[in-house]
Amino acid sequence: MSTVAVIQARTGSSRLPGKVMADIGGTPMLGRVIDRVSSAQTVDVVVVATTDDPSDDPVDRLARAHGAAVFRGSVFDVLDRFHGALEAFADDDEVVRITADCPFVDPGMIDEVVRLHRSSGADFTANRLPPPAARTVPVGLDVEVTSVGLLRLAWTQAAQPHHREHVMPYLYETPGFSVEVLNLEEDLSALRWTVDTPEDLRAARQLARVAGTVGGWRELVAVVRAHPEIASLNADVMQKSVHVMDERSDLTGRARKD
């Protein structure tokens, strides 16, 4: 059995175009994410799933330069893009979903979620679910795990547009699938380490500058608590709902592309 981490990345973000190429601590954000995900002990292969739009040629080049494989596919049907990225893998292999706008994604956290997935036998495992479910991990450490076979099933069956754009909701919104969630003892959900807006980018750059080589999420929590001015930079930014679609999306609700 193999575990493949698929990092979704494109330059055409609706709120902050080009953010995956933005410099954070001397490295483009996507490069940081690839390097950190590659350090997870449970991950065997890293694939960057980007789009076939020419604007994402730089994403392709950067991903390969950091040692990741690359798959290019649909701009808005990200589930279809994941499906294509997993063509070479078996149904019983594991897939870990990561987004490229999380420059502090933690290898240790990835390992914890993957190991919980294996020990629980759940169909889908994550370290957070969307509201109204309560989360405990900082925004930006999000990890989702399922089997390649179940992702293929979702690709075949998922018809709701947000299921196609956000990849995994079909598995945790459809009755009958078992779901496991890794929760922390302390609620750290007020911490925001993802990059969706200019305010987020300023906060991420400041955190990277102050933290230096500190990398683990627990150490980053200590850094932020010692420097509350960092969290204040993007404290007012609201996380988008999983049901909010990119207004440019051309998804029509079809079950899959034929």
Side-chain angles (χ1 to χ4, degrees):
M1 182 183 72
S2 296
T3 300
V4 53
V6 180
I7 303 169
Q8 63 185 72
R10 64 185 175 107
T11 58
S13 168
S14 60
R15 290 208 278 183
L16 188 59
K19 64 183 181 181
V20 299
M21 305 298 289
D23 181 277
I24 296 179
T27 303
M29 181 159 62
L30 175 59
R32 284 178 60 96
V33 173
I34 294 170
D35 294 346
R36 294 173 73 87
V37 172
S38 299
S39 297
Q41 295 178 3
T42 55
V43 170
D44 301 306
V45 182
V46 177
V47 179
V48 171
T50 191
T51 83
D52 51 17
D53 191 281
S55 64
D56 284 321
D57 290 350
V59 171
D60 188 321
R61 291 192 294 269
L62 177 64
R64 295 181 193 278
H66 280 261
V70 177
F71 177 83
R72 303 184 69 164
S74 173
V75 174
F76 297 110
D77 190 341
V78 189
L79 178 54
D80 187 66
R81 206 191 309 162
F82 265 64
H83 180 266
L86 297 170
E87 183 177 2
F89 294 89
D91 281 352
D92 61 353
D93 288 337
E94 296 169 329
V95 55
V96 180
R97 176 178 177 253
I98 303 291
T99 58
D101 55 4
C102 297
F104 303 99
V105 61
D106 187 77
M109 178 67 75
I110 293 172
D111 289 336
E112 287 188 61
V113 178
V114 171
R115 288 168 180 152
L116 175 60
H117 182 73
R118 294 171 180 174
S119 64
S120 69
D123 293 320
F124 171 85
T125 305
N127 56 3
R128 65 92 185 91
L129 291 175
R135 70 179 292 151
T136 58
V137 300
V139 179
L141 295 186
D142 299 18
V143 180
E144 297 177 326
V145 186
T146 190
S147 70
V148 171
L150 284 177
L151 189 135
R152 286 175 174 147
L153 177 65
W155 175 77
T156 301
Q157 299 295 326
Q160 295 296 321
H162 76 282
H163 289 172
R164 311 297 302 187
E165 184 171 317
H166 299 289
V167 183
M168 298 289 195
Y170 177 82
L171 295 177
Y172 56 78
E173 291 183 355
T174 302
F177 294 110
S178 57
V179 175
E180 190 73 31
V181 179
L182 175 70
N183 287 304
L184 305 180
E185 293 184 1
E186 181 179 5
D187 182 358
L188 300 175
S189 59
L191 298 177
R192 182 176 174 83
W193 298 342
T194 193
V195 178
D196 279 333
T197 68
E199 295 82 4
D200 289 333
L201 183 57
R202 286 195 289 273
R205 284 172 168 166
Q206 182 71 353
L207 178 55
R209 186 186 69 79
V210 174
T213 58
V214 170
W217 68 266
R218 293 176 178 85
E219 291 78 14
L220 287 176
V221 170
V223 170
V224 170
R225 285 177 170 165
H227 297 272
E229 71 277 5
I230 297 175
S232 69
L233 292 172
N234 62 344
D236 295 330
V237 177
M238 299 297 294
Q239 186 72 1
K240 288 196 302 184
S241 166
V242 71
H243 295 281
V244 173
M245 299 288 295
D246 190 316
E247 62 184 13
R248 301 164 297 175
S249 176
D250 60 356
L251 294 177
T252 61
R254 60 188 180 275
R256 63 179 175 88
K257 288 188 174 180
D258 293 316

